[in-house]
Amino acid sequence: NAGVTQTPKFQVLKTGQSMTLQCAQDMNHNSMYWYRQDPGMGLRLIYYSASEGTTDKGEVPNGYNVSRLNKREFSLRLESAAPSQTSVYFCASSEASAGQDYEQYFGPGTRLTVT
Amino acid sequence: GENVEQHPSTLSVQEGDSAVIKCTYSDSASNYFPWYKQELGKRPQLIIDIRSNVGEKKDQRIAVTLNKTAKHFSLHITETQPEDSAVYFCAASEDKFYFGSGTKLNVKP
C-alpha cells in the first residue's frame, strides 16, 4: 500500500497563477483533509471531506477550493495564488467516523512558493 | 471552533531525562487527542493517542494523560534519547482536527 500520496512535491508559482494539488489514498478511508503548515506554526485545516461527496471549510479556507473526486482522491485548488499562500501543504486521511479509529495518515507534503 | 494551546514552544533536555509537553483545549465536545512527531522536512507521524473515556495511556517510553474536567492533556517521554529530537504536535478532534503550535524538543547527548 502506498498510503497517502501527493503531487507535486515542489511547486513555484507567480502571483495570480492557479494550480491544483492532488492527493490520493489507498486505505479506503472515508475522511480526507488538507492542511497548511507555516514555519513555527502547527498544521491548520483548510478543508476537509467527511465522506465522498461532502466537503466542509476548516480554519483557513479563503483562497482555496476543493473537490472530492471519489473516495480515493481529494484535490486542492488555488485559483489566484498569493505570496501569503507560500507554505507546505499536507493531505491526510482517516476513518474518522463515530466509534472508529481516528488515526490520521499524512502524505509527504507539497512545498509551494508563490513569488 | 476549537482552540488548542501547546507549551512550551521549545524544550531542551539532557539525554536520559524526562520531557513533558502540555496542551489545553477549549471545546468539551473534543473526544480524541493524538500526538504527532515531525522530523525536519518529513510528514507528521502519530506516536500516541488517547480517547476521552481514558485518563492515561502508555506505550514504552511514551505516555499521555488526559484531564477532561480541566481540558488539558500532556505528553510524557521518559529516558529521552537523541533520536527523540523533533517537533511534537498535539491535536484535539471531534470530527475536524485542531493542532497546537508545536514543541521543538532537543535532546542533548
Side-chain angles (χ1 to χ4, degrees):
Chain A
N1 287 352
V4 180
T5 57
Q6 290 182 236
T7 55
K9 287 188 168 57
F10 301 94
Q11 183 71 50
V12 179
L13 291 178
K14 289 184 170 26
T15 297
Q17 288 185 318
S18 62
M19 79 161 295
T20 299
L21 281 65
Q22 306 286 354
C23 174
Q25 52 91 10
D26 61 3
M27 295 173 282
N28 203 36
H29 284 164
N30 287 312
S31 297
M32 297 186 74
Y33 310 80
W34 275 106
Y35 294 94
R36 60 178 288 173
Q37 185 175 33
D38 302 314
M41 298 186 72
L43 293 96
R44 291 186 291 168
L45 183 65
I46 305 171
Y47 269 94
Y48 89 115
S49 171
S51 61
E52 185 179 353
T54 68
T55 61
D56 199 2
K57 294 178 180 178
E59 297 173 84
V60 289
N62 291 346
Y64 306 95
N65 284 302
V66 290
S67 295
R68 183 74 182 266
L69 305 167
N70 47 55
K71 193 170 186 180
R72 290 188 64 248
E73 298 173 290
F74 189 37
S75 62
L76 178 72
R77 182 159 178 85
L78 286 72
E79 291 291 351
S80 178
S84 60
Q85 294 178 304
T86 293
S87 190
V88 179
Y89 291 84
F90 287 100
C91 177
S93 71
S94 74
E95 270 304 315
S97 52
Q100 296 209 10
D101 185 359
Y102 283 79
E103 180 176 352
Q104 282 197 320
Y105 296 81
F106 284 85
T110 294
R111 192 172 295 273
L112 175 66
T113 302
V114 183
T115 61
Chain B
E2 175 66 277
N3 181 44
V4 179
E5 296 192 356
Q6 183 173 346
H7 300 280
S9 57
T10 59
L11 180 59
S12 189
V13 300
Q14 207 65 42
E15 182 178 0
D17 287 349
S18 295
V20 180
I21 303 170
K22 299 182 180 182
C23 288
T24 60
Y25 62 100
S26 60
D27 188 349
S28 56
S30 291
N31 55 18
Y32 176 64
F33 306 92
W35 286 88
Y36 294 86
K37 176 182 180 182
Q38 188 178 30
E39 296 174 344
L40 192 62
K42 301 282 183 66
R43 73 190 81 184
Q45 301 267 16
L46 180 74
I47 55 171
I48 195 166
D49 56 11
I50 192 167
R51 297 190 176 284
S52 59
N53 58 350
V54 175
E56 184 173 358
K57 182 177 179 181
K58 189 172 180 181
D59 183 4
Q60 299 183 341
R61 296 186 297 110
I62 296 173
V64 57
T65 58
L66 171 65
N67 183 326
K68 281 172 54 181
T69 304
K71 296 199 191 72
H72 67 71
F73 56 113
S74 300
L75 177 71
H76 304 253
I77 305 175
T78 58
E79 301 171 20
T80 53
Q81 301 166 4
E83 50 265 39
D84 293 330
S85 295
V87 179
Y88 291 81
F89 292 98
C90 63
S93 173
E94 183 194 7
D95 49 6
K96 304 177 191 178
F97 285 76
Y98 295 88
F99 284 77
S101 54
T103 296
K104 186 173 183 180
L105 175 64
N106 179 35
V107 180
K108 295 177 285 186

